[in-house]
């Protein structure tokens, strides 16, 4: 049949109510060919992993009209239910848990998802983005083209497989948070692949000779213990493993942290171009591993059932963008002290052999790093594309440095920094580099105000906070800690207590010499960054989710130290107070409450805790 091109166009144009089957076929064909939706925004983020999600939320919250283009149906990337790698970062070191937007998300997950169920986690991530009024989500939309004007990106275009239509996003600024740096080949952005020679940057964990090898991909396994035996019949294409194959990869089903991350392949190939073949090999390996566990007789696995095996590999490394600064191993091991610190890391230098599972010996080599070490802003934007940010495992790093910064909690705080910088760039009409040259202090102070910890960078106190009279009904600890600019306990501050304790039902207040125009009250509560969120004050692993599940796997609880409800009162004369705002269900460590009133005093009253504690620890109270 020859399709009538003119007829198909007319059907689309006129939206005829009654059409013949042949006409309808023509309508369908030309609808798909012609249908293109154009979005004009301030900021476009490509990639919806933890870095991209936090970048998009940060920019949207600051008023930048933002689009987040994500090729998968769910957010989170490696942390999503499709791959199921929990979020790791610096939290194993005292006082080093990543806060900001990531902390908001993880506290919400404790409340809505106490049993750590992956489908519920997907919903928590989706809601975090969907509720932002300045953020539009384009899920199932794969970025596949870019329009350039010299060294500037004009637009990117993605194919949305569910709606079968093209989405073109025109923006002032773009961020590649795709992990694979998909915008590099589409825009000509400078990038690197593989391992540097140890001589290029004097890195002692690097190779003698540079190569194109990377860390590999993994298809993760999750298992569930039942109260009765279950069988497993291996598919014919699964690998037949031997005891020798498992010599350095011994599974531990008794650990809730066993997710078989070491089932890793592909680092000696192209993790992008060979992705499908690598996936097939990983599936054969993963099914072979479970077959060996169940049927070799070496493991007490009769009651264990295969609960999940990921068909979408988690990826550790591919392209890395090149910015104004290329961070290397020595920057990290020396403590990462930069004038333009905008995030921090603390994971070890964790380098996996490109041969992955078939490497004879340990699956990875880990070298301890100072925690926290700073990460500079100059690693977050392109050196040759004028309006391109990037965040996640693809920032401007050597292979050795990336082996530490690639973990998702670190990627998340990097993402928040990139999104914040983008909003500042939009506000002042600047390029990413222009923010570094002209608005670096504003970027750092905005991040600190949004509860992002920056090593060795002090948070500035508002003049109104500094000059007010600070009093409390009663308290434990120095009240002046509430306005010293330090919002956590960390060894950088001597590891000493940095919070004041206010009794539940008591108050802490600022009073002013005369009525002042108050715009905002900022509160930082104690969300227990060490996470004693197991029943009985047990310390949770640092991750939001778990791998293996047993019948007695614990249900998580909210941090006992966190304020559950509070009230803010306002006084216009300094003596008589009226209720202004009450929060009955607080899930946040950072609360920024808009005021918009003229008052002579403002008072915070903790009303209840997420436990039977009778006092609330407060790290900061700031008034603007």
């Amino acid at each position: 049949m020859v399709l009538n091109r003119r007829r198909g166009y007319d059907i689309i144009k006129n939206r005829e109510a009654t059409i013949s089957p042949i006409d309808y076929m023509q309508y369908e064909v030309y609808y798909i060919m012609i249908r293109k939706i154009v979005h004009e925004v301030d900021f476009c983020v490509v990639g919806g992993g933890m870095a991209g999600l936090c970048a998009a939320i940060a920019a949207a919250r600051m008023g930048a009209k933002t689009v987040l283009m994500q090729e998968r149906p769910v957010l989170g990337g490696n942390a999503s239910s499709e791959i199921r790698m929990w979020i790791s970062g610096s939290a194993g070191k005292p006082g080093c848990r990543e806060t900001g937007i990531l902390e908001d998300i993880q506290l919400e997950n404790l409340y809505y998802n106490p049993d750590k169920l992956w489908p519920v986690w997907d919903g928590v991530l989706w809601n975090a983005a969907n509720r932002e009024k300045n953020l539009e989500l384009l899920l199932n939309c794969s970025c596949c083209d870019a329009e350039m004007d010299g060294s500037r990106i004009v637009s990117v275009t993605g194919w949305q497989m569910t709606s079968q239509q093209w989405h073109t996003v025109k923006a002032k600024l773009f961020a590649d948070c795709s992990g694979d740096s998909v915008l590099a080949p589409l825009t000509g952005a400078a990038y690197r692949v593989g391992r540097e020679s140890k001589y290029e940057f004097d890195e002692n964990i690097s190779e003698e000779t540079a190569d194109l090898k990377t860390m590999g991909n993994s298809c993760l396994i999750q298992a569930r213990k039942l109260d009765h035996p279950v069988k497993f019949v291996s598919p014919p294409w699964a690998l037949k493993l031997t005891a020798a194959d498992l010599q350095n990869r011994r599974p531990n089903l008794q650990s809730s942290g066993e997710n078989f991350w070491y089932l890793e392949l592909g680092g000696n190939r192209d993790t992008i171009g060979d992705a499908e073949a690598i996936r097939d090999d990983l599936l054969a390996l993963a099914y072979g591993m479970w077959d060996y566990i169940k049927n070799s007789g070496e493991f007490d696995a009769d009651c264990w059932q295969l609960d999940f095996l990921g068909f979408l590999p988690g990826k550790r490394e591919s392209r890395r963008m090149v910015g104004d600064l290329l961070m290397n191993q020595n920057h990290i091991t020396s403590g990462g002290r930069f004038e333009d610190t905008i995030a921090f890391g603390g994971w070890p230098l964790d380098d996996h052999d490109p041969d992955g599972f078939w490497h004879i010996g340990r699956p990875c080599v880990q070298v301890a790093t100072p925690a926290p070490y700073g990460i500079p802003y100059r690693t977050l934007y392109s050196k040759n594309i004028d309006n391109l940010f990037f965040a996640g495992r693809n920032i401007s790093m050597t292979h050795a440095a990336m082996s530490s910064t690639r973990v998702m909690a670190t990627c998340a705080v990097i993402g928040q920094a990139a999104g914040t910088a983008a909003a500042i760039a939009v506000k002042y009409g600047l390029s990413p580099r222009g923010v570094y040259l002209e608005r670096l202090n504003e970027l750092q102070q905005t991040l600190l105000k949004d509860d992002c910890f920056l090593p060795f960078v002090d948070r500035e106190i508002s003049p109104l906070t500094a000059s007010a009279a600070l009093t409390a009904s009663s308290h434990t600890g120095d009240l002046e800690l509430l306005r010293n600019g330090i919002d956590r306990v960390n060894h950088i501050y001597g590891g000493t207590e940095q919070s004041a304790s206010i009794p539940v039902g008591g108050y802490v207040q600022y009073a002013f010499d005369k009525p002042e125009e108050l715009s905002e009250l900022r509160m930082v509560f104690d969300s227990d960054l060490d996470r004693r969120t197991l029943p009985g004050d047990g310390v949770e692993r640092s991750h939001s989710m778990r791998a293996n599940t047993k019948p007695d796997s614990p249900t998580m609880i909210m941090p006992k130290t966190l304020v559950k409800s509070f009230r803010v009162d306002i006084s216009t004369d300094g003596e008589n107070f009226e209720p202004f705002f009450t929060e009955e269900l607080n899930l946040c460590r950072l609360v920024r409450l808009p005021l918009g009133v003229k008052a002579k005093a403002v008072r915070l009253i903790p009303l209840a805790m997420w436990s039977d504690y009778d006092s609330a620890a407060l790290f900061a109270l700031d008034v603007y």
Side-chain angles (χ1 to χ4, degrees):
M1 179 184 69
V2 178
L3 295 179
N4 184 321
R5 188 179 299 262
R6 180 70 251 174
R7 179 64 172 155
Y9 173 77
D10 287 342
I11 293 169
I12 294 172
K13 182 178 179 181
N14 298 323
R15 295 291 197 270
E16 294 178 7
T18 304
I19 57 178
S20 71
I22 292 178
D23 283 343
Y24 186 78
M25 182 183 297
Q26 293 170 346
Y27 164 78
E28 287 283 289
V29 170
Y30 289 103
Y31 179 87
I32 293 172
M33 291 177 63
I34 294 172
R35 183 65 166 161
K36 178 182 285 188
I37 298 177
V38 177
H39 312 257
E40 295 192 15
V41 297
D42 297 316
F43 185 42
C44 176
V45 179
V46 176
M50 295 309 300
L53 176 61
C54 290
I57 291 173
R61 284 183 179 177
M62 291 182 64
K65 191 176 180 182
T66 303
V67 161
L68 175 56
M69 182 182 290
Q70 161 73 332
E71 67 177 357
R72 309 302 304 177
V74 291
L75 297 165
N78 281 344
S80 75
S81 64
E82 291 188 311
I83 297 175
R84 303 197 180 189
M85 184 64 201
W86 48 57
I87 296 173
S88 294
S90 302
K93 312 287 180 67
C96 284
R97 177 178 288 274
E98 296 77 4
T99 48
I101 292 171
L102 178 64
E103 177 73 345
D104 288 346
I105 291 171
Q106 298 204 103
L107 287 172
E108 284 196 11
N109 190 57
L110 277 174
Y111 178 72
Y112 290 106
N113 190 21
D115 290 311
K116 296 189 174 184
L117 304 174
W118 287 92
V120 181
W121 167 248
D122 282 342
V124 169
L125 295 181
W126 176 82
N127 183 57
N130 191 62
R131 67 188 171 203
E132 297 294 334
K133 65 179 182 179
N134 291 316
L135 175 56
E136 181 180 3
L137 275 177
L138 293 178
L139 298 177
N140 298 296
C141 192
S142 183
C143 181
C144 51
D145 197 11
E147 179 186 355
M148 301 294 296
D149 181 7
S151 59
R152 290 186 60 83
I153 306 172
V154 175
S155 67
V156 298
T157 297
W159 171 252
Q160 192 171 51
M161 64 179 181
T162 48
S163 63
Q164 298 184 351
Q165 56 195 13
W166 297 98
H167 288 269
T168 293
V169 183
K170 297 180 178 180
K172 299 169 186 175
L173 298 161
F174 295 82
D176 189 326
C177 304
S178 66
D180 282 336
S181 297
V182 66
L183 290 184
L186 295 178
T187 67
Y191 69 93
R192 288 186 171 214
V193 175
R195 304 182 293 185
E196 287 81 9
S197 159
K198 66 190 305 179
Y199 304 107
E200 184 175 1
F201 297 98
D202 193 28
E203 296 175 309
N204 62 21
I205 72 166
S206 296
E207 303 301 305
E208 287 287 327
T209 305
D211 59 35
L212 296 178
K213 295 180 179 180
T214 64
M215 289 180 272
N217 305 348
S218 290
C219 282
L220 301 182
I221 291 177
Q222 290 183 344
R224 181 177 297 273
K225 190 174 185 180
L226 306 178
D227 59 3
H228 59 275
V230 288
K231 294 182 178 180
F232 176 74
V233 179
S234 177
W237 41 265
L239 287 179
K240 300 301 181 185
L241 299 177
T242 67
D245 294 327
L246 274 63
Q247 185 175 358
N248 294 293
R249 314 287 193 274
R250 296 293 296 179
N252 179 12
L253 291 178
Q254 305 310 311
S255 169
S256 64
E258 176 61 274
N259 65 357
F260 301 89
W261 58 267
Y262 44 81
L263 299 180
E264 178 180 0
L265 298 172
N268 49 16
R269 290 183 272 178
D270 178 352
T271 56
I272 298 175
D274 297 326
E276 292 294 295
I278 294 170
R279 187 269 324 281
D280 292 349
D281 291 345
L282 281 169
L283 292 177
L285 174 60
Y287 276 99
M289 172 63 84
W290 189 249
D291 178 39
Y292 190 88
I293 289 171
K294 286 291 292 183
N295 299 320
S296 68
E298 289 190 25
F299 299 89
D300 182 16
D302 286 351
C303 293
W304 283 92
Q305 184 176 61
L306 182 62
D307 199 43
F308 169 83
L309 195 155
F311 269 62
L312 181 64
K315 193 175 293 185
R316 293 177 177 85
E317 182 182 3
S318 51
R319 303 184 187 104
R320 304 185 309 278
M321 296 288 205
V322 177
D324 277 354
L325 184 146
L326 195 74
M327 193 173 179
N328 63 53
Q329 174 192 345
N330 297 305
H331 288 126
I332 290 176
T333 55
S334 63
R337 297 205 180 197
F338 300 95
E339 59 162 351
D340 57 335
T341 293
I342 44 72
F344 72 95
W347 191 257
L349 295 165
D350 180 17
D351 197 13
H352 294 219
D353 191 276
D355 291 338
F357 185 81
W358 302 120
H359 168 67
I360 303 301
R362 294 176 58 193
C364 62
V365 175
Q366 294 190 333
V367 178
T369 61
Y373 63 79
I375 296 172
Y377 174 63
R378 286 165 292 165
T379 64
L380 269 61
Y381 60 87
S382 174
K383 75 172 187 178
N384 69 316
I385 301 299
D386 296 341
N387 60 339
L388 177 60
F389 288 97
F390 26 80
R393 61 180 170 84
N394 66 337
I395 65 172
S396 184
M397 299 265 173
T398 64
H399 166 87
M402 188 275 303
S403 71
S404 172
T405 63
R406 64 187 172 84
V407 290
M408 284 183 282
T410 306
C411 291
V413 293
I414 292 171
Q416 182 164 354
T420 302
I424 291 173
V426 168
K427 178 180 178 181
Y428 296 105
L430 297 173
S431 67
R433 184 178 289 112
V435 174
Y436 169 70
L437 296 173
E438 300 181 30
R439 295 287 172 176
L440 177 60
N441 182 66
E442 182 173 345
L443 171 59
Q444 292 175 319
Q445 290 302 315
T446 302
L447 289 167
L448 288 165
K449 189 175 180 180
D450 286 336
D451 198 26
C452 293
F453 174 49
L454 305 183
F456 310 107
V457 182
D458 295 329
R459 182 170 62 81
E460 297 170 0
I461 303 303
S462 73
L464 201 57
T465 301
S467 63
L470 174 59
T471 58
S473 56
S474 64
H475 61 92
T476 303
D478 184 0
L479 279 183
E480 289 301 317
L481 293 173
L482 299 181
R483 54 182 175 184
N484 69 354
I486 300 173
D487 298 340
R488 64 171 63 200
V489 178
N490 186 274
H491 70 81
I492 285 177
Y493 311 117
T496 56
E497 188 58 58
Q498 295 293 334
S499 64
S501 183
I502 310 299
V504 171
Y507 69 82
V508 58
Q509 75 175 38
Y510 283 122
F512 316 102
D513 292 334
K514 65 182 191 310
E516 298 280 0
E517 296 288 347
L518 307 182
S519 61
E520 181 181 289
L521 188 66
R522 176 183 182 272
M523 299 155 268
V524 179
F525 298 116
D526 184 359
S527 62
D528 185 10
L529 297 184
D530 292 329
R531 279 299 191 272
R532 291 177 291 272
T533 49
L534 289 172
D537 284 339
V539 178
E540 175 195 5
R541 289 178 65 95
S542 60
H543 329 114
S544 291
M545 301 299 292
R546 62 169 61 102
N548 292 343
T549 302
K550 302 178 183 179
D552 60 351
S553 290
T555 294
M556 311 308 294
I557 59 174
M558 292 293 291
K560 294 182 178 181
T561 56
L562 186 64
V563 170
K564 180 179 182 180
S565 62
F566 64 87
R567 191 177 77 239
V568 172
D569 292 353
I570 295 291
S571 174
T572 56
D573 59 8
E575 296 181 4
N576 300 297
F577 285 83
E578 296 291 336
F580 175 81
F581 174 84
T582 301
E583 175 61 72
E584 299 288 354
L585 186 68
N586 175 54
L587 304 178
C588 299
R589 170 183 145 92
L590 169 70
V591 177
R592 295 180 60 179
L593 177 66
L595 295 177
V597 297
K598 191 171 185 176
K600 200 170 180 182
V602 59
R603 177 177 286 181
L604 169 66
I605 302 140
L607 298 176
M609 305 294 291
W610 282 100
S611 65
D612 58 0
Y613 289 5
D614 58 7
S615 62
L618 187 64
F619 281 103
L621 185 66
D622 299 273
V623 63
Y624 301 88

